[in-house]
Amino acid sequence: MSVLVFVEASEGKFKKPAFEAVTYGAKIAAMLGVETHALCIDEADEAELRSLGDYGANKLWFVKNELFKNFDPLVFSKVIIQAEAQTNSDVLVLIQSYNGKAIAPVLAAKLRAGLVSGALDLPRIENNSFLVKKNVFSGKASATYEMHSAKKIISLMPNSIIPEKTVNNVELVELKPEIADTDFKIKIKEVVKASGTTTLSDAEIVISGGRGLKGPENWAMLEEMANILGGATACSRPVADIHWRPHTEHVGQTGIAIRPNLYIAIGISGAIQHLAGVNGSKVMVVINKDPEAPFFKAADYGIVGDALEVVPKLNEAFRKFKLGN
Amino acid sequence: MKILVCISKTPDTTTKVSFTDNNTKFNSDRVQFIINPYDEWYALVRAIEIKEKSNAHVTIMNVGGADNDVIIRKALAIGGDDAVRIDAEADDAFFVADQIAQFLKTEPYDIVFVGKETIDYNGSQVGGMIAGLLDLSFISLASKLDVDGNTATLERDIPGGKEIVTVQTPFVVSASKGMAEARIPNMRGIMAARTKPVKVLPAFASERLTSIKQYALPKEKAGPKMIPSDNPEELVMLLHNEAKVI
Ligand SMILES: Cc1cc2nc3c(=O)[nH]c(=O)nc-3n(C[C@H](O)[C@H](O)[C@H](O)COP(=O)(O)OP(=O)(O)OC[C@H]3O[C@@H](n4cnc5c(N)ncnc54)[C@H](O)[C@@H]3O)c2cc1C
Ligand SMILES: Nc1ncnc2c1ncn2[C@@H]1O[C@H](COP(=O)(O)O)[C@@H](O)[C@H]1O
């Protein structure tokens, strides 16, 4: 028995969700008294691969093969199943990322394994039942799932647990799956990367604007705040619908769901569909000229005032703070 | 070309969620149910747009009880040609996917559409599981889809951007925002939907791999700390010292 964690690197480097997933897997392995294996199908170099060991992986399986620059969930799940068989894993951990969302259900079907997607917490084992908590109703509630299958797959919501380093010596093992070019039925024609340094779903700080900002020209001050704090910008749905901002920035129940450490909502009323996508944020600041705006009820900190006056002053204060630190 | 659009029933987005039976059951009392928005706005509408261009046949698929017939009729009013309802309780993603996969074994389709996720259980599972069960290609989170003969070109969300891919039919695709513009059914569509065939099939033998033991509502917040608008420095200090997020 063992726990197998599938991690992805991005341009050869691991990001925080990978360390979270390995920490998570290692903790489950400790609970079950088994080993932790990690699997990486990417071009990360040895030092980078070893860094995963610091978070508790006993063995790290890596695949070096140019073909995997292509992404096809059927092929990726084939490789994961090969690692699963070699490590005799009963619990598989993935990350609830774009690719994780594509691979996990394919893998679950092939292994006839129960899947909890977007887990928020470590599983609990109570009277032989294996329980995992996740958000449901777009964050309006949470639910504890019981997993009945022998094999279990959990895909972990990023930013749900804190990565923890341990003293550990990881063993690297190369896995050489028998995969041919023709196994990839999905062909990538082109990759279009949006500008901007931090992507919204990874961002720890998100500065978001609503219709209260009056027009797209007023987003410069939000972008400035995001720059000062090293965050990303987001918006409410109507703002994307009227093309003040790109659709990729729309957060909420029908947009992207985010869980940053800090969410600053400026000129957003706080409709239930908007809150559904952002209420996983650790701390929420609301700036609105209407003291009755529903968003204040969900906020940790609030400022009543005109965004066009408050935001420039707040930017000044953030800048001073950053210079002093 | 034959297109299957899988639709799920979800509580309306404005629903105030509550539970009964010691937080073990969703309280559906006075809840308005709708077609899951990703299924209706994006998957279904795109399927109908393809049909309008290339003479495809669009079948609506739902796993659920007779109370789902309302949403099935609405999907037919928007433009589906016929529907199949597999009469079983949809309470586990694997079970639902296995029902649809077994149906597809008896009657193959060229494109199987699902939504990105249901807005109630937020699984993002059923589509990938159908693909896994049948060894079909799965393109997840697609925001664009065009078909030309047997070849489809799709745009798929990736971190910080999009990936443009091609794939041959048959395949499974999960639709995310951007794939189409929502349509409102017109009177003619609603009238026509009344006589479109809805086939009800008994459930296929399968198993449920997960179940929900307990629900919980988030803790109520105590109410925000208000900061005067002329003192943004105070907010900065609170975010640093108290909330520790900057
Ligand atoms: C099925 C469905 C799904 C939906 N999904 C989403 C979703 O995913 N995401 C989403 O965001 N919405 C969604 N909505 C829309 C949602 O219901 C709200 O309409 C929307 O969130 C409102 O956007 P807003 O707060 O920017 O605009 P408004 O509601 O117009 O609010 C503007 C706010 O700005 C304040 N304001 C005005 N001027 C100023 C100023 N000078 N300074 C400071 N504050 C000011 C106002 O007091 C007000 O509170 C959905 C709706 C439906 C029906
Ligand atoms: N009971 C169901 N019947 C038909 N299709 C479903 C059902 N449940 C989910 N689906 C489809 O699978 C998609 C993803 O659902 P989920 O995996 O539950 O998030 C939905 O958007 C639907 O297209």
Side-chain angles (χ1 to χ4, degrees), chain A residues 209-214 235-239 250-255 266-274 287-290 293-294 305-308, chain B residues 12-14 34 37 41:
Chain A
R211 212 148 44 178
L213 281 169
K214 307 283 186 277
C235 67
S236 68
R237 180 170 141 203
V239 162
H250 153 201
V251 291
Q253 188 155 19
T254 50
I266 304 167
I268 304 176
S269 57
I272 191 163
Q273 298 96 347
H274 184 85
I287 301 170
N288 198 301
K289 72 169 187 194
D290 173 10
D306 185 337
L308 302 179
Chain B
D12 174 55
T13 56
T14 56
I34 57 169
W41 301 350

Side-chain angles (χ1 to χ4, degrees), chain B residues 4 6-7 60-66 68-69 72 83-90 95-104 106 198-205 208:
Chain B
L4 190 72
C6 303
I7 65 165
I60 307 299
M61 160 59 73
N62 173 258
V63 179
N68 286 15
D69 286 343
I72 293 173
V84 175
R85 178 168 64 78
I86 299 176
D87 194 24
E89 199 176 335
F95 177 83
V96 171
D98 199 19
Q99 298 301 312
I100 300 172
Q102 292 194 54
F103 166 78
L104 284 166
T106 64
V198 179
K199 193 161 36 166
V200 180
L201 299 178
F204 296 91
R208 292 173 165 87

